[in-house]
Amino acid sequence: MRVSTSQMHETSVSAMLDQQARLNKTMLQMTTGRRILTPSDDPPGSVQVLNINQEIELTKQYQKNANIARTALVQEEDTLVGVINVLQRARELAVRGNNDALGPDSRKGIALEVRELLDTLMGLANTTDTNGNHIFAGYQSAATPFEYDAVNQEYVYNGDQGQRLLQIGPERRIADGDPGSDVFMRIPGSGNNMFEILDTLASSLEANTPDITTLGDLDAALTHVTEIRARIGSRINAIDGQEEVNDAYMMDLEITRSDIADLDYAKAISSFNQQMIALQAAQRTYVQVQGLSLFNFI
Amino acid sequence: MADMLSSGLSGLLAYRRALDVIGHNIANADTPGYSRQRVELGARPPQLLGGGYVGNGVQIVGIERMYDEYLTSEVWASTSAHSRYQTYYTLGSRIDNLLADPDAGLAPTLEDFFAAVHGLANDPTSHAARQVVLSQAQSLVDRFHHLDQRLTDMAEGMNDQLLLAINDINSIARSIAGLNEDIVKAMGAAGGAPPNDLLDKRDALIGKLAQYVDVRTARQDDGSVNVFIGKGQALVLGKQAATLSLDTGADSAGQPEIYYSYASGVSTPITKSMSGGAVGGIMEFRAQVLEPARKYLGELAITLATEFNAQHAKGMDLNGNLGGEFFKVPADPMGGAAAIELLIHDTREIAAAAPIRSLADFANSGNATISAGEVLDASDPNLFDTVVIEFIDANTYSINSAGSYAYTSGGNIDINGWRVKISGTPQAGDKFTVESNAGGVNDNRNALLLAGLQTAKTMVGGTTDFQGAYGQMVADVGIKTRQADINRMAQEQRLQQAEADRSELSGVNLDEEAANLLRFQQAYQAAAQVVAVSHQLFQTLLQSFWR
């Protein structure tokens, strides 16, 4: 076989260029740490990475949502602890006011404290979050939910029965609060709302006619609020559980993504070395072969 | 002795010519497309003398061009194929990188937009959260525009490339026609002897043409070559060349059409029959990757806008109105990504809430509860009317004090375009109210449903979500680019092999030329010696008479 001189030159140069291109790609992979530099390197793999990225971002979002839900529930729980304290104090005062030995002035004194408690309760029921939203107003968080209507002489609820849900997992939503109607207005085992109960207690003490039935109402209210508090506790537990699930899922996703997209350095370094040796060999051969010519001997 | 002199002289002439040819070969050792030449020597016709036929020296039979038509046409064919895939691959890797780029692709803005909607669901009263939704929506719209613009720019760039290619094809065709004319004349003048260097020059031009399109050639007896492209359209017939022209339509990014006209005849479109080479690669890439990607992106924009608008319309904004058009829905998938727009600019007009809410009366004595309710048809004119569902007994209820309906716990109750579910055991007189959600600023029900669209299977016939559909497009472009890369490498091998095969026959080897140089130099010296000896013989003869 004859080989033309220019062909020999071309072949060695293109061999060197090939080796250089390969070396360059390995170098790029090593500096970026990525096995897939462009989608055409591994089309299914790069699409998987895109999808995993979305899943990771979405799961991070669920974690954020879970945190927000927890913050809201913790605030609600703290507020309910205040409500329980009010009710317990009111119950003590009701028991004391029922004491037959007490005179009207003493009862009026107790009634004064009950009125204070009523104000405190009103304040707690109208609690706002850091953004100024009333936490017990249902959807209508802008309006003050609880008021005393002096004309009709009754306590009114301006909110609604809406309950906001937050997405804390792909298939998991959790309520980040309870509407005020559920907490303060409807008390199972009592025909009155919580404000009415305290108002009735105060009025009966002011009139020096202590009413034993308010004690039963107070107990019903305490049981009710304690139940709601327990429900919040179980919601927070559910959030903790979901967060663990989310964390584990995110870890799985990150491992999978790393398996697909990240570079195996041991492999890359070994092929880098091989490619370097191959390039050096090509360069050496080129120089030596180019020196060979019959004209040198003429 | 005269014969000896003339034989020696013929050798001197022949070897001198052979050395000329070697010099020519050495000079052209690196000339692309050059075929080495070789002097063919033959004995001159003998002369009948007394004792029989006596040899008469050497003569040059011809100067042969070391050339094989099959090997050369194989180089042309592989040049076309390689150039086709090389062009396809180069274009493909540009769009490939664009689409999957973590900063420039669609995926990150899509993620950010839906993250903002989640942020809205977490805090629907927050002006800041609403502002983030609008600015991320604008970023998403901008990204759609940007991607479409990049694809359009590419289409324009490809049309420029096509125009250059077509101009080059025309000028090559004219040069080939001109060379045909020269070659025919030269062969006539030389009594049929081929002008080797002109033939090489013409072949080199055909090789250059093969970079642009597939070519077929037909050699004529007079030495000219006819060149055909496409589906047998004659680009060059003898000394006549055809002309190609390009029409890119109304806009420079439009679908281009290639026209063919021969001898100032009528222009006919031949776009579809153009294959191979850079022109074929561009057309193929356009039809298989660029146009589908642009259209697919437009479809994605249309579906996203349509789905988001439909859900948004089922919600209520902070002004108490039903959600307006959020995105402008593009009319046509082609270029649709450039036509999507954000239509809402006031944070209060984002419909995060549901338009209705449900209430259980405080005085209810049963344990039945009512669901929050969902909107089925936001266009119902009575959507906002207050509806009271009152139980006549545990199994029947009336609507707004009228009628009597059977109650099933957990069953759907659909009225005025909304749906609620009442579950549990109601008592006679228990009331449930469904009313307008005016003032329900803290309601996030619609925001949650909007956020859920991110993973809803709305694309590709309901099989995947937006991200998945975008991923399929990225994969499709990636696979085609990879395929082109594999083909490109295979064709590069084939081209190298074809060039090696041709050069095995036609290429100049300097060592070989050096050896021939020595050989013919020696032969020349020997022939000169023959002349000298013949001279001496003659002198000897003359002196013997003189004496």
Side-chain angles (χ1 to χ4, degrees):
Chain A
M1 174 184 159
R2 30 187 322 282
V3 178
S4 78
T5 307
S6 66
Q7 179 68 23
M8 221 150 85
H9 174 83
E10 298 269 321
T11 313
S12 350
V13 169
S14 90
M16 274 189 288
L17 290 179
D18 272 3
Q19 295 293 354
Q20 258 169 10
R22 260 176 242 156
L23 198 64
N24 185 45
K25 183 162 181 185
T26 313
M27 218 163 69
L28 257 176
Q29 284 179 325
M30 294 212 295
T31 48
T32 56
R34 281 156 54 190
R35 182 180 68 86
I36 304 175
L37 295 171
T38 68
S40 55
D41 288 341
D42 179 359
S46 56
V47 169
Q48 251 178 306
V49 169
L50 277 183
N51 291 341
I52 290 174
N53 283 347
Q54 162 165 289
E55 279 292 289
I56 289 177
E57 288 304 313
L58 201 57
T59 312
K60 274 188 196 158
Q61 183 68 49
Y62 294 146
Q63 296 293 69
K64 228 187 260 178
N65 299 356
N67 237 331
I68 288 169
R70 181 190 291 104
T71 309
L73 288 172
V74 167
Q75 191 190 8
E76 188 190 0
E77 192 181 23
D78 290 348
T79 313
L80 291 187
V81 168
V83 171
I84 289 169
N85 288 340
V86 164
L87 292 175
Q88 273 168 347
R89 180 67 187 152
R91 195 180 183 284
E92 282 169 29
L93 294 174
V95 171
R96 201 192 299 170
N98 262 333
N99 191 333
D100 289 343
L102 281 186
D105 287 349
S106 308
R107 291 211 166 101
K108 269 186 189 148
I110 296 171
L112 218 59
E113 194 183 341
V114 174
R115 291 267 172 225
E116 282 295 326
L117 287 177
L118 185 53
D119 280 352
T120 309
L121 182 66
M122 188 61 88
L124 288 170
N126 286 331
T127 299
T128 58
D129 65 14
T130 48
N131 295 326
N133 289 309
H134 294 91
I135 67 171
F136 291 117
Y139 296 145
Q140 298 174 71
S141 63
T144 306
F146 295 97
E147 272 170 352
Y148 181 67
D149 179 353
V151 180
N152 296 316
Q153 302 205 331
E154 61 177 4
Y155 292 89
V156 291
Y157 176 55
N158 300 320
D160 54 46
Q161 298 175 14
Q163 191 173 35
R164 199 169 67 182
L165 302 175
L166 296 189
Q167 192 93 37
I168 60 167
E171 300 296 332
R172 188 83 172 92
R173 287 178 186 178
I174 201 133
D176 72 342
D178 295 275
S181 51
D182 276 5
V183 181
F184 300 99
M185 299 306 276
R186 272 187 88 181
I187 294 166
S190 163
N192 278 335
N193 63 52
M194 211 178 280
F195 309 101
E196 213 69 61
I197 293 169
L198 288 194
D199 198 320
T200 311
L201 174 62
S203 303
S204 65
L205 290 171
E206 282 155 2
N208 199 21
T209 52
D211 182 356
I212 196 73
T213 56
T214 53
L215 211 58
D217 281 345
L218 280 170
D219 282 341
L222 262 172
T223 313
H224 176 58
V225 176
T226 311
E227 261 176 32
I228 292 180
R229 196 188 159 193
R231 221 156 59 200
I232 293 171
S234 58
R235 275 188 221 150
I236 292 177
N237 283 341
I239 291 175
D240 291 346
Q242 185 65 42
E243 273 183 334
E244 276 172 33
V245 172
N246 289 347
D247 267 336
Y249 184 47
M250 210 138 61
M251 181 90 82
D252 283 350
L253 288 172
E254 271 162 8
I255 290 171
T256 313
R257 179 171 65 178
S258 167
D259 282 350
I260 298 170
D262 289 353
L263 187 68
D264 179 343
Y265 271 97
K267 251 194 210 164
I269 288 169
S270 106
S271 51
F272 182 77
N273 285 335
Q274 274 176 2
Q275 285 158 358
M276 220 158 58
I277 291 167
L279 178 59
Q280 280 169 351
Q283 287 168 337
R284 228 171 253 278
T285 326
Y286 175 73
V287 171
Q288 297 203 338
V289 169
Q290 288 306 306
L292 292 177
S293 173
L294 186 52
F295 282 102
N296 294 339
F297 304 102
I298 297 179
Chain B
M1 264 174 295
D3 302 327
M4 186 182 176
L5 183 62
S6 96
S7 286
L9 279 175
S10 78
L12 278 181
L13 281 175
Y15 295 126
R16 174 65 214 281
R17 187 58 48 81
L19 286 168
D20 285 348
V21 168
I22 288 170
H24 188 56
N25 281 343
I26 292 174
N28 284 295
D30 275 325
T31 306
Y34 177 76
S35 305
R36 78 190 155 101
Q37 296 172 15
R38 198 170 63 182
V39 167
E40 278 182 274
L41 299 176
R44 286 211 292 214
Q47 210 175 357
L48 183 60
L49 290 178
Y53 285 98
V54 175
N56 222 353
V58 69
Q59 68 175 357
I60 292 167
V61 178
I63 297 175
E64 195 192 357
R65 172 170 170 251
M66 302 308 287
Y67 168 86
D68 182 284
E69 191 160 352
Y70 168 75
L71 293 179
T72 305
S73 64
E74 177 60 18
V75 171
W76 294 338
S78 48
T79 299
S80 271
H82 175 251
S83 168
R84 166 186 170 195
Y85 290 116
Q86 175 71 46
T87 308
Y88 196 118
Y89 169 73
T90 309
L91 292 167
S93 49
R94 275 164 62 194
I95 177 171
D96 186 34
N97 275 330
L98 167 72
L99 294 176
D101 190 307
D103 300 318
L106 188 69
T109 43
L110 208 53
E111 281 159 20
D112 290 348
F113 172 60
F114 280 105
V117 179
H118 268 289
L120 173 68
N122 290 339
D123 198 358
T125 61
S126 156
H127 175 75
R130 287 170 175 268
Q131 193 56 58
V132 173
V133 170
L134 291 189
S135 54
Q136 291 301 347
Q138 188 60 54
S139 299
L140 180 63
V141 164
D142 290 347
R143 186 54 54 87
F144 268 118
H145 292 180
H146 170 74
L147 287 174
D148 191 77
Q149 187 57 49
R150 291 287 296 271
L151 296 181
T152 313
D153 288 348
M154 260 187 98
E156 272 182 46
M158 282 157 57
N159 282 349
D160 290 347
Q161 251 178 295
L162 270 183
L163 193 63
L164 285 177
I166 284 186
N167 288 340
D168 217 7
I169 291 172
N170 285 336
S171 99
I172 292 170
R174 282 195 300 274
S175 302
I176 293 174
L179 277 170
N180 270 344
E181 197 176 358
D182 294 348
I183 288 167
V184 171
K185 272 187 200 153
M187 275 179 75
N196 289 336
D197 297 307
L198 291 184
L199 298 185
D200 278 345
K201 205 171 162 191
R202 188 175 62 190
D203 281 353
L205 282 173
I206 296 173
K208 209 173 154 200
L209 188 64
Q211 288 182 0
Y212 293 117
V213 280
D214 276 342
V215 288
R216 279 182 304 286
T217 56
R219 207 162 285 278
Q220 306 298 301
D221 291 340
D222 62 359
S224 68
V225 147
N226 293 341
V227 181
F228 303 93
I229 57 166
K231 289 204 167 73
Q233 281 87 3
L235 186 66
V236 179
L237 282 181
K239 53 184 184 178
Q240 180 74 49
T243 314
L244 300 184
S245 55
L246 185 74
D247 180 10
T248 53
D251 64 304
S252 53
Q255 185 74 50
E257 189 79 73
I258 299 171
Y259 287 94
Y260 168 88
S261 107
Y262 182 75
S264 45
V266 209
S267 284
T268 46
I270 55 159
T271 319
K272 287 202 173 59
S273 55
M274 295 297 270
S275 61
V279 170
I282 290 173
M283 305 303 279
E284 265 177 314
F285 177 77
R286 197 184 177 101
Q288 291 172 6
V289 179
L290 190 76
E291 306 261 339
R294 247 190 109 203
K295 194 163 166 227
Y296 198 93
L297 209 57
E299 277 165 8
L300 193 61
I302 289 176
T303 311
L304 180 76
T306 311
E307 293 289 328
F308 202 86
N309 282 358
Q311 188 57 54
H312 192 251
K314 288 184 182 173
M316 183 185 251
D317 66 14
L318 284 184
N319 299 324
N321 298 322
L322 286 171
E325 251 191 304
F326 197 90
F327 291 113
K328 182 177 158 211
V329 182
D332 185 4
M334 190 50 98
I340 187 173
E341 296 292 349
L342 180 63
L343 295 180
I344 284 188
H345 300 289
D346 181 351
T347 53
R348 295 187 59 82
E349 290 179 8
I350 304 174
I356 51 129
R357 61 178 171 238
S358 61
L359 310 161
D361 200 88
F362 293 158
N364 284 356
S365 47
N367 67 5
T369 56
I370 187 165
S371 70
E374 58 178 312
V375 173
L376 303 176
D377 175 15
S379 67
D380 193 294
N382 304 319
L383 184 71
F384 290 129
D385 291 359
T386 302
V387 170
V388 178
I389 299 168
E390 183 171 3
F391 280 84
I392 299 162
D393 54 47
N395 299 313
T396 43
Y397 60 87
S398 68
I399 294 171
N400 288 335
S401 312
S404 166
Y405 304 89
Y407 166 70
T408 320
S409 175
N412 294 334
I413 299 176
D414 297 353
I415 304 170
N416 292 353
W418 46 253
R419 165 177 293 172
V420 293
K421 291 176 186 182
I422 296 176
S423 341
T425 313
Q427 299 281 314
D430 282 2
K431 281 188 215 164
F432 296 91
T433 307
V434 177
E435 60 182 21
S436 159
N437 192 18
V441 293
N442 202 34
D443 180 12
N444 69 351
R445 279 176 290 166
N446 206 46
L448 274 186
L449 293 170
L450 288 171
L453 288 176
Q454 182 180 11
T455 48
K457 297 199 185 314
T458 51
M459 292 295 298
V460 199
T463 56
T464 186
D465 57 19
F466 301 124
Q467 167 71 63
Y470 182 70
Q472 287 186 8
M473 176 175 120
V474 173
D476 191 49
V477 172
I479 287 167
K480 282 181 178 143
T481 308
R482 185 179 175 77
Q483 199 60 51
D485 192 24
I486 292 169
N487 287 333
R488 175 185 72 104
M489 289 189 289
Q491 292 302 333
E492 197 168 288
Q493 285 294 317
R494 182 183 159 205
L495 176 60
Q496 278 174 3
Q497 190 55 51
E499 271 174 348
D501 288 349
R502 183 178 66 173
S503 117
E504 187 180 335
L505 174 71
S506 304
V508 176
N509 182 309
L510 288 176
D511 284 346
E512 184 185 41
E513 299 301 326
N516 284 337
L517 193 67
L518 291 176
R519 182 172 132 210
F520 289 122
Q521 191 186 7
Q522 281 167 5
Y524 183 87
Q525 284 166 349
Q529 208 61 48
V530 171
V531 174
V533 169
S534 128
H535 174 71
Q536 280 168 10
L537 288 180
F538 194 61
Q539 286 297 324
T540 311
L541 189 62
L542 279 182
Q543 280 167 8
S544 60
F545 279 107
W546 246 213
R547 209 169 278 178

